[in-house]
Amino acid sequence: MESNLITEDKQKNKLEKVFEILKTMASRPSGLIGLSIVLFHIVLALISPYIAPYDYKAISPNTMLLAPSAEHWFGTDSLGRDVFTRTILGGRTALTVTFFGSLIALLWGGLLGIFCGLVGGKIDDVVMRVVDAFLSIPWILAMLLIVSLLGTSTEVLIPALGFFYGKGIVRVARAATHDVIAKDFIVSARARGHSNMSIIWNEIIPNVRDAILVEGAMRWSWMLLGFSSLSFLGFGVSPPTPDWGLMISNARGLMSFAYWSVIAPIVGLSSLIIGINLTADAFAKALGIDRSTKAPV
Amino acid sequence: MSEIIESVKNLSIGFNSQKGKQISILRNVSTNIKKGETVGIVGESGSGKSTLALAMMGYIKQGLFPLKGECLFKSEDLLKMSSRQLEKIRGRKIAMIPQNAGQALTPNLKIGYQIDEALKLHTDLNKRERDKKISELLNKVRLPSPETMAFRYPHELSGGQQQRVAVAMALAGKPDLLLLDEPTTGLDVTTQAHVLELLRFIAKDTGTSMIYVSHDLGAIAQVSDRIVVMYAGEIVLEGPARKILKEPIHPYTYGLLKSIPKLSLAGLPASMPGSQPQPGSINEGCSFYDRCNLATDNCKKNSPDLEHIKELDTNVRCFNYKELINQNNNLQTSITKKSNNSEANEVLKLKDVSISYAKQKFFDQLLNKISDQNPTVKDINIDIKKGETIALVGESGSGKSTILKSIAGLLKTKDGQIKFENDRILSSDLKMRNPNDLRAIQLIFQNPDESLNPNHTVEQILSQPLKLYFNLSGEELKKNIIDLLKKVRLGEFYMSRYPRQLSGGEKQRVAVARAFAAKPDIILCDEVTSALDVSVQAAVLNLLQQLKEDLGTTYVFVSHDLAVVRAISDRVAVLYQGRLCEIGPSQNVYKFPSHPYTEVLLGAVLEPDPDIKPKLVAEDIVEEKPPEKGCSFQGRCPRKIGDICNSKVPPWQIGENGNAIRCHINIEELASLQQ
Ligand SMILES: Nc1ncnc2c1ncn2[C@@H]1O[C@H](COP(=O)(O)OP(=O)(O)O)[C@@H](O)[C@H]1O
Ligand code: SF4
Ligand code: SF4
Ligand SMILES: [Mg+2]
């Protein structure tokens, strides 16, 4: 009801709009917490190479499995590497891979989805069948295949993850486009004689952008979990790259007597996933997108 | 005096704003419902009528909460009851019929089963008794062939039939009170009249009290014994239906009644300025102050109380109501409009136009033609003169929008030609039309929520046609936008608003401005006032008329509402199932002889007058497809004369009133039949 009230009189430029959305997101406790966690991780990832106290790959038999202390805040792992150093650098790896992965997912998923929504008919049918077929393959199997063929460098992982997590975005983008093109304002623009490009750019994109971005944000947290699972299984980034999934995998046998080496990456991973999830939720709410299924009549 | 079954006392309902302020959307409402009485609650969207009706069954919408007051049902407060207690009352004692019955019925369960469930829940009858009851109920709501109806699924029924099923289900528990929230809104005119007639019958037959909520005074007038008028969350007028409709003594009700177009009146209805205030924006004084032409300084500072006037048996919330007593003659006036001179040239000709939605078969695709023997729209011949307003009327599905779309080039025609200015044929493909022809024909849609891009400001919306057709930019563009806004009576400051920040009427003004931005010769209006409140509708109609008189624009005006059509148009074309039935000057379409379908439509018009009852001459069946041959109206025609109607397309005949009518009945005979 209140959203109908006239609240703003001045036209806002883009930057002000972004700021306004952030403000709305932060106005809810869950949004504020989510944003703070994500911000914390991003800042940490950016500065981690400069603040890391040790070399992440320096193996030292003298310092194996040390408990947390003043020198090694989070202790050391079975190869004597500093867990704190590896944890903060691991966040950097996770964020880099999944951020660019999500970007790729958004790009191809969004574009293909909008395309399908626009053309409709046979082409749309065929493309969506193919996408559905891909959706039904267990993605982890497919990833294993790719990784075993092409290796585990980030140059392979990022596009591969981007590809698999883009499928869901295709569906959302297609559905949103489908809804929008039936609206009278599109009919009106067509009747006026605007070019197709102008209609896509001015009328359609602004109306599907929000839904796609929200879906992208949601996919980001999924991708993070997926990426870490891959590493955990040994098909993600290869050692000695500092990575949470790898760290958890290496240390899981030591749980009972060197729990410190596994707690830090677990906390890092789960807090980032929760943070991104809360942020995505707040983002959706701030944009007025209802992610729940249909409201009861 | 009969027993009071529900009594609302000083009820206020509100919500907390994001800034933590308490905002009330229902303020101090008190009213009583007596046994066997039908009370109509009328108000524009946002006036709080549904909130009140829901509270009367103990239901408060999520996000809202009662601030004070009570709803006493048989002297128990519904708002204080637990959900267990309410469950016992809802359905059994108080039943509700929602606006969209189609959505309220479970799609995958048979009608009979759903009624049976309601009976199991609300009565103690055994299986045999229930089965008997089901057919009794289906009979009572006058569904065709009630025996087989029980075995059908909701989607196999038309909207009107679904609404009847909803009534049957509501009656299953023999409720004392029946709540109806806009039960006929969205139904076709004839169906609406039938459902209202049924409700009136049921009220009399069963003695159930009813609360009938609607924005439509025409519908309210047909069923109500008493009327409650709501405005901005308050009751502003309450009294016996006849008094309220014939001698309204509140300025809002008075204005509302004047703004409804009436069949008996040529010319445009008077409009009320402004729009209803948003909840929370009224601080002091009368909530109607901004729009009231009787307002005085007193009204600005003090808010009037609901005052009981004994002689009139009426409650009114106005300081100056006395000025309206004995003003009722003025209700029957309207604004005369300049009629179009008939000498003008034709700007648009539809010649033998047929339109089909059938999918092209492979072979036809190769030959680029459509082979549909029974197209949705067929053989439309209309010549439209420059500067005239021609209306296309018919129930939903009669092909009105389809015709507009193909004029605009959005739909290919199957056969026939659309000729523009000097008999130049317009391509039926948008892409083949030249830009100047595209500019010359503009469209305005029914629902501005859908036709304005929610992500664009008013400035962006209006600049689109200006940039596209006239290449304007910078200061000149801005100046033109401000001019346009002024034309539709909106201020410059609207430029930076988004559609969601505008009221329904303001949005439609922006849509009108966008159409006029192209400096068009012809504007196609598709139900442009149907989504608006009555008081706003009158304003938009007047605006359209004014713009036309100033600029000489031609309108093709599509509407299902004959009274609106009468008010705005110079000529009327009546359509049934995509075929023309009658065409002629609008003042004549309302005089006999009429085509039997026009007669049915005229009979179903709901006037806000308890003395004018609809004349229901045809069944409210919905036909899926036009008949293959013969007269398009054969399936429902109350005057059908025999086989000839089924086999031969009727000829055009010109009546003595100058109307062309397409019927096998000789026109003089038709005239005498209709006397
Ligand atoms: N896109 C469509 N595809 C198939 N049939 C349609 C489509 N749009 C409308 N129709 C059908 O064409 C007929 C006329 O519809 P329409 O022109 O919208 O009528 P009106 O505007 O008078 O309500 C109806 O039977 C409707 O079901
Ligand atoms: S109290 Fe005054 S402003 Fe309100 S309706 Fe009456 S005359 Fe108009
Ligand atoms: S031709 Fe026959 S069916 Fe058609 S309107 Fe006339 S009487 Fe009715
Ligand atoms: Mg229509």
Side-chain angles (χ1 to χ4, degrees):
Chain A
M1 186 148 303
E2 208 168 16
S3 61
N4 295 333
L5 297 180
I6 290 144
T7 46
E8 54 209 294
D9 262 328
K10 201 162 64 71
Q11 192 174 343
K12 302 217 154 63
N13 66 33
K14 292 251 153 56
L15 210 68
E16 279 175 311
K17 268 189 202 157
V18 171
F19 190 69
E20 175 125 324
I21 290 173
L22 284 175
K23 229 171 78 187
T24 322
M25 286 166 69
S27 69
R28 276 173 232 268
S30 61
L32 189 62
I33 294 171
L35 274 176
S36 319
I37 295 176
V38 172
L39 199 67
F40 171 77
H41 275 283
I42 289 175
V43 170
L44 202 61
L46 288 174
I47 61 172
S48 56
Y50 311 105
I51 62 161
Y54 296 90
D55 181 359
Y56 68 85
K57 54 183 187 301
I59 300 174
S60 132
N62 308 330
T63 56
M64 269 165 35
L65 295 174
L66 293 181
S69 65
E71 282 103 80
H72 298 283
W73 291 357
F74 293 174
T76 60
D77 67 6
S78 57
L79 297 177
R81 297 172 298 193
D82 182 45
V83 175
F84 177 69
T85 301
R86 292 184 61 79
T87 305
I88 58 175
L89 286 168
R92 187 179 166 90
T93 311
L95 275 173
T96 318
V97 170
T98 55
F99 178 78
F100 287 106
S102 300
L103 219 55
I104 290 174
L106 268 180
L107 221 60
W108 86 263
L111 288 179
L112 184 65
I114 293 175
F115 171 77
C116 283
L118 281 177
V119 297
K122 288 253 159 53
I123 300 178
D124 174 36
D125 274 354
V126 171
V127 174
M128 288 319 287
R129 285 275 158 79
V130 174
V131 169
D132 278 340
F134 269 114
L135 266 179
S136 59
I137 305 177
W139 70 275
I140 218 146
L141 283 185
M143 281 303 287
L144 295 188
L145 189 71
I146 293 175
V147 168
S148 51
L149 285 177
L150 300 174
T152 59
S153 65
T154 43
E155 287 83 9
V156 173
L157 281 169
I158 292 177
L161 283 167
F163 176 69
F164 279 103
Y165 284 89
K167 293 172 305 188
I169 297 173
V170 177
R171 310 215 114 240
V172 170
R174 174 179 171 275
T177 310
H178 218 80
D179 285 351
V180 170
I181 56 168
K183 291 269 163 71
D184 281 344
F185 61 84
I186 306 281
V187 180
S188 169
R190 276 177 48 214
R192 276 198 302 275
H194 286 283
S195 70
N196 284 346
M197 266 333 277
S198 137
I199 292 178
I200 293 173
W201 192 248
N202 290 317
E203 312 283 346
I204 295 175
I205 304 264
N207 284 296
V208 298
R209 188 189 50 208
D210 291 355
I212 295 176
L213 284 180
V214 166
E215 187 62 25
M218 285 289 169
R219 292 287 149 189
W220 186 10
S221 72
W222 285 104
M223 190 187 287
L224 191 62
L225 190 61
F227 168 64
S228 302
S229 318
L230 273 183
S231 303
F232 180 83
L233 294 176
F235 297 99
V237 287
S238 36
T241 316
D243 176 77
W244 291 338
L246 267 178
M247 289 170 76
I248 298 170
S249 159
N250 290 338
R252 73 184 193 281
L254 317 170
M255 269 290 250
S256 50
F257 56 94
Y259 58 86
W260 52 85
S261 54
V262 73
I263 283 188
I266 286 182
V267 169
L269 180 59
S270 40
S271 69
L272 185 52
I273 289 177
I274 293 171
I276 293 177
N277 253 315
L278 290 177
T279 308
D281 249 351
F283 186 48
K285 287 210 178 92
L287 293 174
I289 291 172
D290 192 3
R291 283 189 51 88
S292 62
T293 44
K294 276 227 178 79
V297 189
Chain B
M1 207 171 112
S2 56
E3 173 197 356
I4 288 174
I5 64 167
E6 175 147 7
S7 159
V8 180
K9 291 202 171 124
N10 296 320
L11 182 66
S12 294
I13 291 179
F15 63 94
N16 280 328
S17 76
Q18 282 187 347
K19 298 191 184 72
K21 233 173 68 187
Q22 219 171 53
I23 291 176
S24 48
I25 57 172
L26 217 56
R27 290 177 292 150
N28 256 325
V29 172
S30 302
T31 188
N32 293 322
I33 313 294
K34 288 184 205 134
K35 193 165 165 36
E37 177 187 52
T38 300
V39 177
I41 302 181
V42 68
E44 357 198 322
S45 55
S47 62
K49 54 189 188 308
S50 292
T51 308
L52 172 60
L54 289 174
M56 287 172 104
M57 61 185 296
Y59 183 82
I60 308 278
K61 264 186 268 178
Q62 209 182 358
L64 299 179
F65 48 88
L67 301 173
K68 68 174 180 34
E70 44 195 9
C71 286
L72 301 176
F73 180 74
K74 301 194 165 164
S75 58
E76 277 182 277
D77 190 354
L78 292 173
L79 301 178
K80 295 220 170 65
M81 281 186 194
S82 67
S83 44
R84 286 283 290 281
Q85 284 171 302
L86 281 172
E87 259 167 41
K88 282 203 192 113
I89 290 186
R90 288 192 196 141
R92 267 177 198 244
K93 304 261 170 64
I94 307 178
M96 161 122 186
I97 296 173
Q99 170 165 356
N100 195 335
Q103 276 174 19
L105 297 171
T106 317
N108 57 349
L109 296 177
K110 291 184 180 140
I111 300 299
Y113 182 82
Q114 297 193 47
I115 299 178
D116 195 42
E117 285 298 296
L119 284 170
K120 268 192 219 159
L121 199 63
H122 303 309
T123 65
D124 309 316
L125 303 177
N126 64 32
K127 176 89 182 85
R128 274 251 299 294
E129 290 168 326
R130 287 204 307 272
D131 281 345
K132 220 179 105 216
K133 191 80 190 170
I134 291 172
S135 68
E136 207 180 293
L137 284 169
L138 289 172
N139 257 315
K140 181 163 257 165
V141 296
R142 305 204 202 124
L143 277 162
S145 50
E147 309 77 44
T148 55
M149 191 54 81
F151 299 102
R152 295 171 72 178
Y153 290 98
H155 69 87
E156 299 174 318
L157 273 56
S158 70
Q161 290 173 337
Q162 288 175 346
Q163 201 58 276
R164 280 163 201 262
V165 173
V167 174
M169 278 172 73
L171 291 175
K174 278 203 168 200
D176 300 315
L177 180 63
L178 203 52
L179 268 167
L180 305 110
D181 193 357
E182 303 266 10
T184 64
T185 308
L187 299 178
D188 261 321
V189 267
T190 46
T191 316
Q192 189 175 5
H194 277 274
V195 172
L196 287 171
E197 204 262 338
L198 172 73
L199 291 174
R200 215 171 39 224
F201 162 77
I202 283 175
K204 238 195 236 132
D205 189 53
T206 60
T208 315
S209 308
M210 291 191 189
I211 297 172
Y212 189 100
V213 180
S214 179
H215 70 285
D216 182 355
L217 266 173
I220 292 262
Q222 302 310 317
V223 289
S224 311
D225 303 314
R226 214 152 51 79
I227 293 178
V228 172
V229 184
M230 307 270 310
Y231 186 78
E234 290 176 320
I235 294 182
V236 293
L237 186 65
E238 172 178 10
R242 184 167 297 272
K243 281 259 160 23
I244 303 286
L245 295 167
K246 298 243 172 183
E247 304 159 48
I249 55 165
H250 188 280
Y252 170 65
T253 318
Y254 184 81
L256 195 61
L257 277 161
K258 277 197 76 142
S259 66
I260 300 175
K262 294 170 199 77
L263 266 188
S264 51
L265 289 177
L268 290 157
S271 66
M272 245 190 279
S275 55
Q276 187 176 238
Q278 295 278 357
S281 63
I282 315 148
N283 297 321
E284 53 176 12
C286 175
S287 52
F288 191 58
Y289 176 78
D290 288 344
R291 304 173 73 185
C292 183
N293 52 17
L294 293 181
T296 57
D297 276 351
N298 184 24
C299 313
K300 186 171 187 174
K301 290 186 212 90
N302 303 307
S303 23
D305 289 323
L306 200 61
E307 194 179 327
H308 183 68
I309 297 149
K310 208 150 179 216
E311 322 64 277
L312 299 172
D313 188 18
T314 301
N315 297 331
V316 60
R317 190 186 293 277
C318 174
F319 294 121
N320 307 325
Y321 71 87
K322 290 205 177 83
E323 293 186 35
L324 285 172
I325 295 179
N326 297 328
Q327 287 286 308
N328 40 328
N329 289 338
N330 281 343
L331 277 178
Q332 298 299 324
T333 55
S334 63
I335 304 163
T336 40
K337 62 171 194 280
K338 217 167 46 198
S339 208
N340 180 57
N341 78 50
S342 50
E343 309 291 293
N345 290 334
E346 279 129 8
V347 276
L348 189 76
K349 289 184 183 170
L350 304 184
K351 203 158 178 331
D352 299 323
V353 169
S354 297
I355 309 160
S356 168
Y357 282 107
K359 271 216 176 114
Q360 278 181 317
K361 297 206 188 73
F362 177 69
F363 222 61
D364 297 335
Q365 262 173 0
L366 289 182
L367 299 168
N368 195 20
K369 63 167 209 193
I370 304 161
S371 56
D372 179 2
Q373 292 312 309
N374 195 19
T376 308
V377 167
K378 195 173 172 190
D379 294 341
I380 304 294
N381 281 295
I382 305 175
D383 293 348
I384 299 164
K385 293 200 185 83
K386 192 167 171 46
E388 84 170 331
T389 302
I390 182 152
L392 305 180
V393 210
E395 288 160 293
S396 69
S398 59
K400 310 178 297 279
S401 304
T402 304
I403 295 175
L404 285 196
K405 282 201 182 125
S406 69
I407 296 177
L410 291 162
L411 257 181
K412 281 199 182 137
T413 51
K414 173 181 168 306
D415 296 312
Q417 287 150 354
I418 297 169
K419 293 180 182 170
F420 179 59
E421 275 180 342
N422 310 323
D423 285 351
R424 197 157 44 81
I425 295 177
L426 282 182
S427 165
S428 73
D429 185 351
L430 198 69
K431 295 261 166 350
M432 308 286 285
R433 291 194 181 178
N434 73 46
N436 196 45
D437 290 343
L438 290 172
R439 178 199 58 75
I441 302 179
Q442 294 289 314
L443 261 165
I444 308 176
F445 296 84
Q446 168 168 4
N447 190 346
D449 287 325
E450 293 247 325
S451 68
L452 304 179
N453 188 331
N455 274 304
H456 286 174
T457 58
V458 170
E459 180 178 3
Q460 287 170 306
I461 289 168
L462 295 182
S463 64
Q464 280 184 327
L466 293 172
K467 282 185 189 159
L468 181 70
Y469 299 128
F470 308 110
N471 256 322
L472 296 184
S473 62
E475 277 308 304
E476 210 183 342
L477 178 66
K478 191 159 174 201
K479 203 180 128 284
N480 270 274
I481 292 173
I482 295 171
D483 272 357
L484 281 168
L485 284 173
K486 221 180 265 157
K487 266 195 195 131
V488 296
R489 322 263 186 284
L490 294 174
E492 189 181 330
F493 57 93
Y494 280 94
M495 275 172 69
S496 58
R497 298 257 172 99
Y498 286 93
R500 73 183 120 79
Q501 297 168 324
L502 306 176
S503 73
E506 288 167 341
K507 274 182 257 189
Q508 200 59 303
R509 280 166 201 267
V510 172
V512 170
R514 177 174 64 186
F516 275 97
K519 303 201 168 64
D521 300 324
I522 301 170
I523 295 188
L524 312 172
C525 306
D526 194 352
E527 303 265 15
V528 289
T529 61
S530 310
L532 304 177
D533 276 313
V534 214
S535 70
V536 180
Q537 158 172 295
V540 170
L541 288 175
N542 278 296
L543 173 71
L544 285 171
Q545 181 65 23
Q546 193 61 51
L547 287 169
K548 170 190 144 161
E549 283 175 15
D550 294 347
L551 305 168
T553 323
T554 309
Y555 290 139
V556 183
F557 191 95
V558 156
S559 177
H560 68 279
D561 186 335
L562 277 171
V564 167
V565 160
R566 161 105 217 224
I568 188 120
S569 64
D570 301 312
R571 267 199 312 154
V572 177
V574 182
L575 282 163
Y576 186 75
Q577 292 281 5
R579 279 85 177 135
L580 275 178
C581 299
E582 176 169 358
I583 183 165
S586 63
Q587 72 268 21
N588 290 349
V589 171
Y590 304 89
K591 291 191 198 131
F592 295 129
S594 292
H595 186 278
Y597 179 55
T598 316
E599 198 187 346
V600 168
L601 283 182
L602 285 170
V605 171
L606 303 171
E607 301 250 24
D609 186 333
D611 294 328
I612 305 180
K613 294 270 178 257
K615 295 185 241 354
L616 305 173
V617 281
E619 294 290 319
D620 55 333
I621 320 163
V622 175
E623 294 190 278
E624 289 283 310
K625 258 172 51 189
E628 300 263 335
K629 50 187 185 176
C631 172
S632 62
F633 193 46
Q634 55 182 271
R636 284 172 67 191
C637 181
R639 298 197 183 277
K640 189 170 163 183
I641 48 175
D643 272 350
I644 187 167
C645 299
N646 298 347
S647 56
K648 252 181 85 182
V649 175
W652 282 104
Q653 306 179 67
I654 312 277
E656 59 189 37
N657 57 8
N659 283 7
I661 290 171
R662 203 181 200 185
C663 178
H664 284 303
I665 302 177
N666 180 291
I667 196 136
E668 277 117 44
E669 202 184 324
L670 197 57
S672 68
L673 282 170
Q674 288 170 340
Q675 281 317 315

